[in-house]
Amino acid sequence: MKVVAIANQKGGVGKTTTALNLSAALALRGQRVLLIDLDPQANCTSGLGIEPPEDSSMYSVLIGEKTVHDQILETGRENLWLVPSEMDLAGVEIELARSDDHLTRLRRILQALKPNDLFDYCILDTPPSLGVLMTSALAAADEIVIPLQCEWFGLEGLAKIVHVIDQIRSSDANPDIRLEGIIMTMYDGRTLLSRQVVEEVAKFFPEQMYKAVVPRTIRIGEAPSHGKTIFEHDPTGIGAQAYGAVGDEFLIRRAAVGPLLAKH
Ligand code: ADP
Ligand code: MG
């Protein structure tokens, strides 16, 4: 099981949309995916149309009262499971900040899932801040995928998150952390700006930037209000095509890396 954090400290850049639809794309491609909603706003949870019972988030797992297994819910979709979120998860920031191991606790919890081999990927949707939940997710992740909005301020945000990833790498918390990919979101081909931002990111991060770019479409924006992924809401539209291409590329990139790693 690989742990993949979908991260960007900026809000509204497409983290949740990407976490949901990438998870769904991987599940449709036969990968067993555990999606963990780490944002107290619980957009991933509602976006899948799930109303979780009380006390079903990572909160009680992080404070040591439950196991992650206790919190895994079926989503009604093949190959896709969810640990939902709830407002109370925000409280864990305070609880964890008091403990010495706050940065590595989530990492230990998720590492313990690995030998069970129940999932191929664990995808973490993270909150838009550099608080304890977000840094815990970075410390727990094997790989980071950054969704980046095709706007100028998106580039500023990118520099910051890359810096934070470097800091986590040089700490003991997670020396092997890897910025695996950058997924360009809300692309509007009619604007020069969108094209320029993509060019800029391609120039500085040629390996990391996904070739599949996610366009801004009304369908992607409205799908969560129906509790549906883009593949359920508009299966043949350009949004589903784009996130399908992102899912394909995600797997192809790993197929390409796998044999290389195996040699060493
Ligand atoms: P974050 O999790 O980073 O805060 P979201 O994924 O919630 O960002 O996206 C912010 C808003 O933009 C949401 O209302 C979402 O539905 C919308 N959105 C995200 N991606 C797209 C897109 N490609 N096209 C149109 N709307 C989008
Ligand atoms: Mg979000």
Side-chain angles (χ1 to χ4, degrees):
M1 183 186 85
K2 284 270 180 233
V3 179
V4 182
I6 311 297
N8 188 326
Q9 76 285 354
K10 278 190 178 282
V13 299
K15 281 186 296 296
T16 298
T17 305
T18 299
L20 267 176
N21 290 307
L22 172 60
S23 296
L26 295 175
L28 287 169
R29 282 156 182 74
Q31 305 293 312
R32 295 159 305 165
V33 181
L34 175 62
L35 175 59
I36 300 185
D37 191 346
L38 280 178
D39 185 348
Q41 291 182 49
N43 295 148
C44 248
T45 303
S46 60
L48 283 174
I50 290 173
E51 278 185 37
E54 243 175 67
D55 191 18
S56 56
S57 74
M58 284 302 285
Y59 180 85
S60 38
V61 181
L62 285 165
I63 62 169
E65 285 181 354
K66 287 189 178 179
T67 70
V68 66
H69 286 283
D70 295 333
Q71 307 299 66
I72 296 174
L73 296 182
E74 304 258 345
T75 64
R77 287 125 175 132
E78 205 177 349
N79 295 325
L80 183 60
W81 290 265
L82 174 77
V83 176
S85 181
E86 58 195 341
M87 258 337 265
D88 286 358
L89 186 58
V92 93
E93 294 263 346
I94 301 155
E95 303 258 355
L96 278 187
R98 288 201 206 108
S99 68
D100 295 338
D101 67 340
H102 65 270
L103 200 55
T104 49
R105 200 176 279 192
L106 180 64
R107 182 179 174 83
R108 261 193 296 109
I109 290 166
L110 297 183
Q111 290 285 343
L113 273 181
K114 288 192 171 182
N116 297 342
D117 206 26
L118 288 172
F119 307 105
D120 298 300
Y121 292 101
C122 171
I123 309 272
L124 307 175
D125 186 26
T126 62
S129 74
L130 284 172
V132 175
L133 280 167
M134 157 79 146
T135 42
S136 294
L138 295 182
D142 299 303
E143 302 171 358
I144 310 295
V145 168
I146 302 178
L148 193 74
Q149 209 179 347
C150 295
E151 304 275 356
W152 273 121
F153 62 70
L155 291 173
E156 290 166 21
L158 180 59
K160 179 137 185 207
I161 182 119
V162 166
H163 178 66
V164 174
I165 293 170
D166 286 342
Q167 281 180 325
I168 298 263
R169 185 181 298 111
S170 51
S171 77
D172 286 340
N174 187 357
D176 298 325
I177 191 173
R178 202 162 68 86
L179 169 54
E180 194 280 330
I182 299 174
I183 298 175
M184 306 305 295
T185 65
M186 302 188 216
Y187 179 80
D188 182 350
R190 294 167 305 181
T191 68
L192 181 61
L193 183 60
S194 266
R195 296 200 295 274
Q196 282 174 334
V197 173
V198 169
E199 274 171 28
E200 200 72 3
V201 174
K203 194 159 79 191
F204 290 103
F205 297 93
E207 302 282 310
Q208 286 89 356
M209 198 187 86
Y210 274 51
K211 290 183 182 61
V213 169
V214 179
R216 183 184 286 281
T217 76
I218 289 167
R219 296 298 224 172
I220 291 178
E222 69 191 10
S225 66
H226 300 275
K228 289 182 172 171
T229 70
I230 192 60
F231 305 105
E232 296 155 353
H233 182 58
D234 185 26
T236 56
I238 55 169
Q241 283 168 20
Y243 272 111
V246 166
D248 286 337
E249 197 169 340
F250 181 97
L251 293 174
I252 289 166
R253 288 165 69 88
R254 279 153 188 81
V257 169
L260 271 179
L261 286 182
K263 270 194 221 153
H264 298 289

